[in-house]
Amino acid sequence: MSDTRFAPDRGLTTRMVGTMFFIGLLYVVFVGVLVALLRGAWPIVLVLAGGLFVAQFWFSDRIAAFSMGAKEVTPEQAPELHGAVDRLCALADMPKPRVAIADSDVPNAFATGRNRKNALVCATTGLLRRLEPEELEGVLAHELSHVAHRDVAVMTIASFLGVLAGIITRVGLWGGLRRVGGRDSNTAILVVLIPLISAVVYAISFLLTRLLSRYRELSADRAAALLTGRPSALASALTKVTGQMARIPTRDLRQAEPFNAFYFAPAFSKDSLSRLLSSHPTLEQRLDQLGRISAQLGRA
């Protein structure tokens, strides 16, 4: 963080290192258990695990951006959005990421990229239509802090490992059962044991990424407020975006829910159970922190 003007956060760095270590260890143990259980299919498991991990590392940002409907725009196509990003990058002394817009009425923004050189910041049409310029800059500063802190790359990789566990389980189990012929007594044990192990791996990785995600959102709010010097503008954007979510059709909210970990504010449908394990701290926690920062800046 020494090469940008975003406020450093040692707590975030420590949590990112810890999350990646434990998830990486979990992943290695998981693959090792599968290799031990599916002896006849161990080449399939190893090749699949290695290939998918490399593919995720190199293409995670493109996959995420495509899945969320991001389309890169030029300064001529979106002059106000580019202008805001230009001002913030100059203020933060960081390279300008690619800029994109997602055609969605859900008011939100997100950032992707495995590093600063190929990062992308995206705002939805719903967000651009609803926010004032100062509010938009607060949201964009929040997203740019994710890029500067590199936590967006950590979250992308960490989130994928749980999904990868399920893929490897299905393919490895299929290959292993075919080799044993599906007739010996061990087959019945494998059918029960391997999905159970996969579920445990997914649950642990899910909880680890949720704990990191909540902290990183508070860290991004803090960094954005300190960089812009306008915590009240970010608080206003948070309040407005959260309030507007209730007016979005349930179908659109359900489509956005799988990507909540990447969004500026979570999108929940009315009957969603995701609120119980949200990727974000509550609105009250975020506003309370911004209020304290505003008071500190006022005293300074």
Side-chain angles (χ1 to χ4, degrees):
M1 285 298 296
S2 59
D3 55 345
T4 75
R5 295 196 181 103
F6 276 107
D9 192 325
R10 293 183 179 178
L12 177 62
T13 301
T14 301
R15 284 169 172 79
M16 288 194 298
V17 172
T19 298
M20 289 305 296
F21 173 79
F22 285 113
I23 285 187
L25 179 63
L26 182 68
Y27 184 65
V28 170
V29 171
F30 172 69
V31 172
V33 170
L34 282 186
V35 168
L37 292 175
L38 300 173
R39 297 176 183 177
W42 68 265
I44 298 176
V45 173
L46 291 181
V47 170
L48 188 66
L52 288 177
F53 184 79
V54 171
Q56 164 63 9
F57 180 79
W58 285 105
F59 301 110
S60 60
D61 54 332
R62 299 178 189 177
I63 295 171
F66 176 80
S67 300
M68 290 183 274
K71 294 183 179 179
E72 193 170 349
V73 292
T74 65
E76 292 74 23
Q77 293 172 315
E80 294 182 1
L81 181 58
H82 269 274
V85 174
D86 284 333
R87 288 190 295 274
L88 290 169
C89 287
L91 187 61
D93 192 23
M94 65 180 289
K96 181 182 178 181
R98 291 175 292 136
V99 178
I101 293 178
D103 185 14
S104 171
D105 193 44
V106 178
N108 236 317
F110 61 88
T112 66
R114 66 182 182 274
N115 55 49
R116 297 177 193 172
K117 292 182 179 180
N118 58 27
L120 177 144
V121 172
C122 178
T124 65
T125 53
L127 185 79
L128 297 174
R129 188 165 55 250
R130 290 175 171 88
L131 297 190
E132 299 297 326
E134 286 189 354
E135 295 171 337
L136 178 62
E137 286 198 3
V139 173
L140 293 174
H142 172 104
E143 296 304 328
L144 288 172
S145 74
H146 285 315
V147 175
H149 283 110
R150 298 183 177 89
D151 59 273
V152 65
V154 173
M155 276 298 299
T156 302
I157 295 174
S159 299
F160 181 76
L161 290 181
V163 178
L164 194 56
I167 296 174
I168 293 174
T169 295
R170 286 193 294 271
V171 175
L173 185 60
W174 177 78
L177 293 182
R178 285 195 64 184
R179 287 178 179 273
V180 299
R183 282 193 287 266
D184 60 36
S185 60
N186 291 330
T187 302
I189 298 176
L190 292 177
V191 170
V192 175
L193 187 59
I194 292 181
L196 179 61
I197 294 173
S198 178
V200 171
V201 169
Y202 178 81
I204 295 174
S205 64
F206 179 86
L207 292 174
L208 287 172
T209 53
R210 281 299 179 269
L211 291 174
L212 172 61
S213 181
R214 291 177 182 179
Y215 185 91
R216 83 181 189 115
E217 294 301 331
L218 289 173
S219 176
D221 284 346
R222 172 178 173 271
L226 293 176
L227 180 73
T228 62
R230 295 192 298 268
S232 60
L234 182 57
S236 177
L238 266 170
T239 303
K240 187 178 292 186
V241 167
T242 304
Q244 288 290 317
M245 287 295 182
R247 302 182 180 182
I248 304 300
T250 301
R251 182 184 63 180
D252 295 341
L253 291 175
R254 284 176 177 168
Q255 291 176 349
E257 274 188 37
F259 308 106
N260 272 344
F262 297 95
Y263 281 135
F264 167 69
F268 293 121
S269 58
K270 294 179 181 179
D271 57 348
S272 175
L273 297 177
S274 301
R275 297 174 186 269
L276 299 175
L277 292 171
S278 175
S279 55
H280 291 60
T282 64
L283 176 63
E284 290 74 19
Q285 289 174 313
R286 299 175 76 174
L287 293 179
D288 182 63
Q289 176 183 247
L290 291 172
R292 292 196 304 270
I293 294 173
S294 183
Q296 292 170 3
L297 292 177
R299 289 194 296 269

